[in-house]
Amino acid sequence: MSQIDFTTSEHTQALANEVACLKAMVTLMLKGMGQADAGKVIINMERFIAQLEDQNQADVFSNTIKQIKFAYRQ
């Protein structure tokens, strides 16, 4: 694991694609966990977001969680 290169491209579109990939991966992981455990993860993340002091960051996190919840329900 220590020899794997996880560098991110400097190009905005490549970074956006990586984030979209991570959202999809998180959604699939939640689906694999089962409904009860996935629900706990989402609830804990929503609690974390509520404690953020930076409102812009909280808005971005909240939007991301909404996207993942929508994809999870599909």
Side-chain angles (χ1 to χ4, degrees):
M1 181 82 180
S2 64
Q3 296 182 8
I4 298 173
D5 182 18
F6 288 114
T7 57
T8 301
S9 174
E10 295 177 15
H11 301 288
T12 305
Q13 187 58 46
L15 180 58
N17 288 336
E18 288 183 15
V19 171
C21 174
L22 291 172
K23 288 179 188 179
M25 183 175 62
V26 167
T27 301
L28 293 172
M29 289 171 63
L30 290 172
K31 283 186 175 188
M33 289 176 138
Q35 190 172 7
D37 289 332
K40 289 177 187 176
V41 171
I42 294 295
I43 288 170
N44 287 335
M45 190 62 192
E46 289 173 337
R47 286 181 186 154
F48 173 78
I49 293 168
Q51 295 174 358
L52 291 174
E53 294 179 10
D54 182 352
Q55 188 58 45
N56 290 333
Q57 186 180 39
D59 291 342
V60 171
F61 280 29
S62 181
N63 187 47
T64 301
I65 292 300
K66 286 177 186 175
Q67 291 173 7
I68 290 171
K69 284 169 55 174
F70 179 78
Y72 178 82
R73 291 179 181 136
Q74 296 290 322

